[in-house]
Amino acid sequence: MEVIRIPRVMQGTSKGLIIKGKSTGLVPTMGALHEGHLSLVRRAKEENDITVVSIFVNPIQFGPTEDFESYPRDIEGDTEKLGKEGVDIIFMPDIHSMYPEKFSTSVEVQKISERLCGAFRPGHFRGVATVVTKLFHVVKPTRSYFGAKDFQQIVVIKQFVKDLDMDIDIIVCPTIREKDGLAMSSRNTYLNKEQRQAATVIYRCLKEASDLVKSGIIDGNHVKGVMQDTLLKEPEVSVIDYAGVYDPLTLDELSEIKGDALLAIALKIGNTRLIDNMLVTKGR
Ligand code: AMP
C-alpha cells in the first residue's frame, strides 16, 4: 500500500494508471474509519482495478463554531485498517497542499445546498463540493463511492458532476448501522454512555415514520408530527435541527407523499450533531 501526501504526485500516479487502462475507485473520507467507511472501500475494491482512499479533514466544510479542531483523527489505526482491506493507495494531503496561500475558488451548487443541513451549516456544502471537485481532479477516478447516510451530500455531488460534465460514476452505498440501529459515524465517539443509548431514538423514529408511510399514510405533516413527538420524548436530545419528510430529488418538504419520500433527521445530543435518513415508498 502506497501513501501519497502531495496532490501533484497523486495526479502523476493517476495519469499513469489511466494510460495503462486501469480503472480507479475513490473513497473520500475524513478518517477515523469505521465499518461504514470500510463497506465503501470493499465495494470500490470489487468494482475497480485500483482503490484509492483519501483521508482529509477538510477545514472549509466546518463552520467557525464547529468541531474541526476536535474532529477524531487516527492516522495509525486508519492505515492499519486500510492495509488489511488491501487498499492500493492512501491519499493523505495536508491542508497547505490542498489550500495554498491565495486559494480563491469554490464550487457551489445552488438551492439544494441551502436545504436541510445547509440551512444550519452555512457554507458546508460549498466546502464539500469544492474539496470533492479537487479530489476528483487529483485522483481522476472512474467511480467514486459515498454513503447514503449523508444523503444531501450525494444529491449535491451528483448535481455538480452532471452540471460540470465530470466523467465519474457516483456510487451510493447503504448506511451501515450498529446492532441497535444507530448509523455508524466518526462523531459517535463523542457520546457518553447515556447519550449513546439515547441516540438510538433516531433510528427508532425513522423506522416508526417509515412504517407509517408504508402502511399508506400520505400526510407528510402528520408523519413529521409523529417524528417530532418521538424525538422530543428523549431528554438527552438538546436540539432538533430538522426532522420530517422530504422530496428525495429537490429536498423540499413534502406535505403529501405521492411516491418516494426521504425521512431525514438532524439533531444534537449534548453538543454532538448527528444525522440519519431513510428512503421510503408510499404503500411499500
Ligand atoms: P466522512 O469520513 O464522515 O466524511 O465519511 C466518508 C464517507 O463515508 C461518506 O461518503 C459517508 O457518507 C460515508 N459513511 C459515513 N458513515 C457511514 C455509514 N454508517 N454507512 C455508510 N457510509 C458511511
Side-chain angles (χ1 to χ4, degrees), residues 27-31 33-37 39-40 61 71 145-150 153-154 173-177 183-186:
V27 182
T29 81
M30 298 205 297
L33 302 179
H34 49 66
E35 278 297 312
H37 298 113
S39 71
L40 272 52
Q61 72 185 66
Y71 194 84
Y145 296 79
F146 297 89
K149 180 183 157 267
D150 297 276
Q153 172 168 282
I154 291 164
C173 303
T175 301
I176 304 298
R177 301 177 179 283
M184 289 191 182
S185 163
S186 307

Side-chain angles (χ1 to χ4, degrees), residues 163-261:
D163 289 349
L164 302 179
D165 304 299
M166 295 184 183
D167 187 13
I168 298 169
D169 287 339
I170 302 304
I171 313 289
V172 180
C173 303
T175 301
I176 304 298
R177 301 177 179 283
E178 303 285 357
K179 282 203 181 76
D180 60 12
L182 178 65
M184 289 191 182
S185 163
S186 307
R187 289 192 170 97
N188 292 350
T189 55
Y190 296 149
L191 303 172
N192 67 28
K193 211 170 152 220
E194 289 73 36
Q195 293 173 330
R196 169 65 187 79
Q197 175 53 37
T200 58
V201 74
I202 303 170
Y203 180 70
R204 258 185 290 124
C205 178
L206 289 171
K207 193 80 185 45
E208 183 183 28
S210 146
D211 288 344
L212 285 178
V213 178
K214 284 182 186 165
S215 75
I217 305 271
I218 59 161
D219 181 348
N221 291 324
H222 173 74
V223 177
K224 178 182 176 177
V226 173
M227 291 173 78
Q228 302 267 345
D229 285 349
T230 301
L231 297 174
L232 285 169
K233 274 190 214 132
E234 174 47 67
E236 296 279 352
V237 171
S238 48
V239 181
I240 301 173
D241 277 354
Y242 59 82
V245 189
Y246 305 90
D247 181 317
L249 299 176
T250 62
L251 306 181
D252 288 330
E253 211 166 337
L254 281 181
S255 51
E256 189 192 340
I257 303 167
K258 292 179 181 144
D260 292 341

Side-chain angles (χ1 to χ4, degrees), residues 150-164:
D150 297 276
F151 191 92
Q152 187 172 11
Q153 172 168 282
I154 291 164
V155 179
V156 168
I157 291 170
K158 281 187 171 168
Q159 187 69 46
F160 75 71
V161 163
K162 182 167 171 248
D163 289 349
L164 302 179

